[in-house]
Amino acid sequence: MSRQYTLQRTPRSTSIHLDYAAELNEQQLAAVTAEPGPLLVIAGAGSGKTRTLTYRVAYLLENGIDPRNILLLTFTNRAAREMLGRVANLLPVDASELWGGTFHSVGNRILRRHGSALGYSSGFTIMDREDQKDLIDTVVANAGIDPKEIRFPKGDVLAEIFSFVVNTEKPLEELLVEKFPYFLPLLDKIQDVHERYEKKKKATNSMDFDDLLEKTLSMFQEHERIAEVYRRQFQFILVDEYQDTNKIQADLVDLLARDHRNVMVVGDDAQSIYSWRGANFQNILEFPKRYPDGQVFKIEMNYRSVPEILEVANAAIAANVQQFRKHLSSTRESKALKPALVALNDGAEQAQFVAQRILELRDENVDLNDIAVLYRAHYHAVELQLELSRRGIPYQITSGIRFFEQAHIKDVTAFIRFVANPRDEVAFKRMVKLLPGIGNRTAENLWQAWAAGVVAADVDRGSEKESQAAGVSASGYSFGEPLQAMNVSAKSKKMWTQLAHTLDEIAPGGQPNPPSEMITSIVEAIYDDYAKVNFTNYELRREDLDQLAVFARQFKDVHEFLSQLALISNVDAEATSVQGADKEAVNLSTVHQAKGLEFHTVFVIWLTDGMFPSSRSLDTRDALEEERRLFYVAITRARDELYLTYPQMRLSGGYGDVFQRPSRFLQEIPNELLEDWQVRRR
DNA sequence: TACGTGGCGCTTTTT
DNA sequence: GCGCCACGTA
């Protein structure tokens, strides 16, 4: 028999500081002060979701919960930082020991500690989509698949398929039937590639984004002792944006909360917009089934938008079949100003309209930072960017390519990745291919030679699994020496020697220098010359690299630096001001990236059928409903003014102009809710 | 085997 | 307007 013994909480603060009843509305208060247990908070847009979560954390802390026992999972790292910042403002507590961040970053943190249980060393590399594609391509090549004989999916397509398999926890065959039926004849071969890819990742001590979730989960499932540690640690689990979790994330939460069931999930089914990434909003719809003893709270009072905007939002989402019906009601006073519906001739005119309105708004003292232009896809913004530049209106764009995904950044970090993880095949090949006379074939041969040495080194060390990668770089080790010993063509010889020296310089005795110093060394010794010759915009790229060195200064540990690089989102990066500039600027963003934000004025542009909704989403009802939710998200970002614009013509390169139909979503909104603006040229 | 050249197809959303 | 691929040459 086992005995249940409860340790009493040590009260941290003797008095309760916050007057919760005064700071929160009734619905929020109920959620914030709920008894421990499963809690589902259905939070409409602008209803104070973040506020509720923040106060819940504060409430737990004030009731003596140790910050170490709280896990706060958010959609971006920035969201976690902001919430914890607010908690710190509310309470005189040090919450720095509270775990907060994205599922991926938390997975990373746990795997760095316990990855050895799965045969990974703590210095594993995190691969982004491009690395993943590269590695899959080499795997396909090694699998003896001749691209001339059969048409086989490319690395990026396979990466997407594998990612779906992991995130939805579906067998490959089922997934192919549903999403890629035309690949069914290749099932066996794809399966084979998948297995080889998994092995390859292990051999190169690398994990892709999905592994950070999947490996964490499987480690918990296979190693009860480790799972137990975290079950005990995370006594209270809070999840933001729960509607955008996928199966594996939901399982992770369920597993951790198995014993205590203190899990609070917050979300809005109407804002689920990531199904293409495996998100499944059934997670939120079925939460009450999985936790029948749980409590459900609905917070539906909207503090953000004026009633006129909210009515449009309610109308916009009404056509969706799959949803928790709810009706947002506004707490704000009517402005007697209806959202605008604006038809324009073409994209250029649309850009002129937006730009002109922005200038007028600025004259009315609306802060430029408080204005956003939202669109379905990045390329919808090109004309607008031109127009804004022409008029000297500063803008800030959360771009599609992340800063850290640019070629020059990845080239330089390849050197760092390699010395941090000498088994990183992708990084090694990328690095050596920068040298003249080294292409795919030679890189492969050089890698084979290097890998043989690494394995030998592991054997010498008596193959302590713990320290495989770290072991190779243990004291007295040189990266340069074994490289010098390899054969390269006369054409490459000079730079090859240079490379060997550089590696010893950045990792003397096998120990990597601080990241910032490494960057400077690599750029000066090798990359600067390379960049001058290979890029037309050398100056810009050099500036980026200098910026990278500055950014790197805050990290002393290589692995920490590389993890950050891989896991930071562009929304996060902006806040870290990697790209500088926190001056006044209009925000240009995809709707996806604007999730969770709000602005005084919002323009939603390119509202034509095929653009928004995207033509790719017109086939199935589910896809169309998701587009509609996306439209809903766009509308509900606006506090005071909303402009819905659509060009009637699209100038497409070469083939003449194409007439555009107004978005079907616009037709779903009753006329009387919008004001028709007739735009005239003069 | 590396790398330059010309043609082609094409454009969703991202941790 | 851009990147990817196939092809041909050094």
Side-chain angles (χ1 to χ4, degrees):
Chain A
M1 275 310 282
S2 62
R3 179 199 293 221
Q4 299 293 321
Y5 183 82
T6 311
L7 280 179
Q8 296 301 323
R9 292 169 191 153
T10 323
R12 297 226 140 199
S13 47
T14 43
S15 63
I16 301 287
H17 290 80
L18 294 171
D19 183 357
Y20 292 89
E23 309 253 339
L24 304 165
N25 71 30
E26 214 174 304
Q27 298 167 316
Q28 293 169 338
L29 182 68
V32 164
T33 60
E35 287 294 306
L39 308 168
L40 167 63
V41 182
I42 301 286
S47 62
K49 180 169 61 78
T50 308
R51 190 177 181 81
T52 304
L53 267 175
T54 307
Y55 274 81
R56 176 67 177 180
V57 172
Y59 183 79
L60 292 173
L61 294 173
E62 283 207 301
N63 279 281
I65 306 297
D66 193 313
R68 272 175 304 184
N69 293 139
I70 300 175
L71 174 64
L72 174 64
L73 293 161
T74 54
F75 202 72
T76 61
N77 290 304
R78 183 176 75 171
R81 256 202 314 280
E82 276 177 9
M83 278 190 233
L84 296 181
R86 286 203 220 175
V87 172
N89 279 334
L90 292 174
L91 293 180
V93 219
D94 176 20
S96 60
E97 285 191 90
L98 192 155
W99 282 45
T102 61
F103 278 91
H104 290 87
S105 68
V106 168
N108 176 52
R109 206 166 151 186
I110 293 172
L111 288 168
R112 294 275 169 204
R113 279 195 199 167
H114 306 282
S116 56
L118 299 171
Y120 277 86
S121 88
S122 70
F124 64 80
T125 294
I126 300 174
M127 296 190 294
D128 67 12
R129 241 335 167 24
E130 189 191 10
D131 304 323
Q132 208 180 341
K133 170 189 155 295
D134 289 346
L135 197 61
I136 294 175
D137 280 338
T138 63
V139 164
V140 171
N142 292 338
I145 292 166
D146 186 359
K148 280 168 209 126
E149 240 171 76
I150 48 168
R151 274 189 93 71
F152 200 72
K154 297 280 178 291
D156 50 347
V157 178
L158 289 168
E160 184 158 324
I161 294 174
F162 298 162
S163 186
F164 266 114
V165 167
V166 171
N167 286 313
T168 57
E169 297 186 342
K170 282 182 185 166
L172 179 62
E173 183 167 8
E174 191 183 328
L175 191 97
L176 291 186
V177 171
E178 276 174 30
K179 300 204 60 149
F180 305 89
Y182 38 87
F183 288 143
L184 268 174
L186 299 171
L187 176 64
D188 290 346
K189 285 207 166 61
I190 295 177
Q191 189 79 59
D192 176 50
V193 168
H194 195 14
E195 279 156 26
R196 285 166 182 265
Y197 174 57
E198 289 299 318
K199 278 187 199 142
K200 192 72 163 180
K201 281 189 293 187
K202 202 158 188 176
T204 58
N205 199 30
S206 310
M207 298 210 195
D208 58 34
F209 286 136
D210 304 321
D211 287 328
L212 297 179
L213 307 177
E214 196 270 325
K215 295 277 191 292
T216 307
L217 180 65
S218 56
M219 181 174 74
F220 284 158
Q221 286 165 340
E222 288 159 26
H223 300 273
E224 186 55 32
R225 283 180 55 197
I226 300 174
E228 200 46 44
V229 169
Y230 289 95
R231 282 207 184 98
R232 275 164 178 270
Q233 180 175 344
F234 302 132
Q235 288 293 313
F236 290 86
I237 301 172
L238 300 95
V239 189
D240 191 17
E241 309 279 13
Y242 192 70
Q243 77 283 351
D244 280 320
T245 54
N246 54 38
K247 182 77 170 72
I248 200 162
Q249 290 168 322
D251 282 355
L252 211 43
V253 170
D254 291 349
L255 183 141
L256 284 172
R258 192 193 67 189
D259 296 343
H260 54 67
R261 300 167 70 79
N262 293 327
V263 50
M264 175 189 246
V265 304
V266 181
D268 178 4
D269 56 295
Q271 294 186 64
S272 172
I273 54 177
Y274 281 89
S275 72
W276 46 273
R277 204 167 88 187
N280 186 350
F281 72 118
Q282 296 302 330
N283 285 342
I284 195 167
L285 295 178
E286 286 173 2
F287 186 86
K289 274 189 208 156
R290 298 210 311 284
Y291 295 91
D293 53 328
Q295 298 183 70
V296 180
F297 302 89
K298 277 193 179 184
I299 50 180
E300 292 182 292
M301 298 285 282
N302 180 295
Y303 292 89
R304 182 184 293 154
S305 312
V306 293
E308 288 80 4
I309 290 175
L310 223 45
E311 278 183 52
V312 172
N314 281 327
I317 198 70
N320 269 13
V321 177
Q322 291 197 63
Q323 59 169 323
F324 277 147
R325 290 277 159 203
K326 55 181 160 307
H327 192 87
L328 291 181
S329 48
S330 180
T331 58
R332 292 194 53 191
E333 253 175 58
S334 168
K335 263 195 139 188
L337 178 75
K338 287 182 190 170
L341 177 64
V342 195
L344 288 315
N345 279 334
D346 52 33
E349 198 181 279
Q350 177 178 246
Q352 286 173 22
F353 171 79
V354 172
Q356 189 174 318
R357 267 315 281 154
I358 288 173
L359 290 177
E360 289 164 4
L361 286 160
R362 186 164 68 175
D363 289 343
E364 295 164 22
N365 284 326
V366 178
D367 196 313
L368 288 186
N369 289 317
D370 223 359
I371 301 174
V373 184
L374 306 181
Y375 35 82
R376 178 66 180 86
H378 285 296
Y379 74 94
H380 295 173
V382 284
E383 287 142 323
L384 185 63
Q385 288 183 61
L386 281 176
E387 187 64 29
L388 292 175
S389 310
R390 201 175 295 147
R391 300 196 189 209
I393 303 173
Y395 64 88
Q396 191 182 40
I397 184 161
T398 33
S399 69
I401 354 114
R402 297 187 298 169
F403 178 77
F404 304 111
E405 278 173 355
Q406 300 174 89
H408 50 293
I409 305 288
K410 292 204 65 181
D411 288 341
V412 169
T413 47
F415 292 72
I416 300 176
R417 274 170 56 176
F418 175 60
V419 295
N421 172 17
R423 286 194 279 154
D424 190 332
E425 180 174 335
V426 176
F428 177 92
K429 286 180 177 169
R430 182 166 192 134
M431 175 177 75
V432 300
K433 281 200 282 189
L434 295 172
L435 307 193
I438 298 178
N440 275 330
R441 197 59 211 238
T442 313
E444 175 67 32
N445 292 339
L446 290 168
W447 169 250
Q448 293 302 337
W450 169 259
V454 175
V455 173
D458 275 355
V459 173
D460 281 351
R461 231 161 304 270
S463 76
E464 310 150 59
K465 282 239 158 152
E466 272 299 323
S467 56
Q468 277 178 357
V472 171
S473 51
S475 60
Y477 188 84
S478 157
F479 281 97
E481 272 171 41
L483 254 63
Q484 291 274 34
M486 294 180 194
N487 275 328
V488 290
S489 71
K491 201 169 154 192
S492 314
K493 193 79 199 166
K494 191 171 158 231
M495 282 311 292
W496 185 255
T497 311
Q498 171 80 306
L499 171 67
H501 285 314
T502 307
L503 289 175
D504 277 336
E505 187 187 321
I506 64 173
Q511 296 296 336
N513 279 337
S516 182
E517 289 174 30
M518 285 197 271
I519 295 166
T520 311
S521 304
I522 296 158
V523 171
E524 280 171 8
I526 296 179
Y527 203 72
D528 199 54
D529 290 333
Y530 174 88
K532 277 181 195 152
V533 181
N534 286 282
F535 300 122
T536 47
N537 54 358
Y538 159 74
E539 305 286 347
L540 278 177
R541 296 192 191 235
R542 176 62 206 245
E543 277 170 34
D544 280 349
L545 290 168
D546 292 341
Q547 245 183 348
L548 181 70
V550 173
F551 171 76
R553 252 187 257 156
Q554 55 186 303
F555 303 96
K556 42 187 188 325
D557 178 63
V558 217
H559 302 301
E560 178 77 24
F561 169 67
L562 291 172
S563 302
Q564 280 291 319
L565 233 52
L567 293 176
I568 206 165
S569 69
N570 36 15
V571 182
D572 288 330
E574 218 173 81
T576 343
S577 81
V578 178
Q579 316 180 44
D582 39 358
K583 52 175 189 281
E584 223 197 309
V586 176
N587 298 284
L588 271 55
S589 168
T590 61
V591 183
H592 280 94
Q593 295 193 333
K595 176 176 157 178
L597 305 179
E598 59 173 60
F599 305 90
H600 174 277
T601 299
V602 169
F603 296 85
V604 187
I605 62 172
W606 276 113
L607 279 166
T608 70
D609 248 28
M611 302 290 265
F612 199 169
S614 154
S615 53
R616 295 194 167 198
S617 310
L618 301 178
D619 302 341
T620 66
R621 196 192 69 184
D622 283 358
L624 193 63
E625 292 215 341
E626 176 147 324
E627 292 283 307
R628 203 177 272 112
R629 292 193 292 269
L630 197 57
F631 183 47
Y632 176 77
V633 168
I635 294 171
T636 51
R637 298 309 95 199
R639 290 201 300 267
D640 292 85
E641 292 188 33
L642 174 67
Y643 297 84
L644 305 174
T645 72
Y646 64 97
Q648 290 165 309
M649 193 109 74
R650 186 179 157 201
L651 313 170
S652 65
Y655 301 100
D657 308 342
V658 188
F659 277 104
Q660 299 284 295
R661 225 173 244 288
S663 171
R664 60 189 71 189
F665 296 157
L666 291 174
Q667 278 141 39
E668 292 168 1
I669 301 171
N671 287 336
E672 65 271 18
L673 296 184
L674 299 170
E675 185 173 20
D676 232 319
W677 285 34
Q678 303 295 328
V679 176
R680 218 171 288 169
R681 300 184 146 268
R682 49 168 300 172

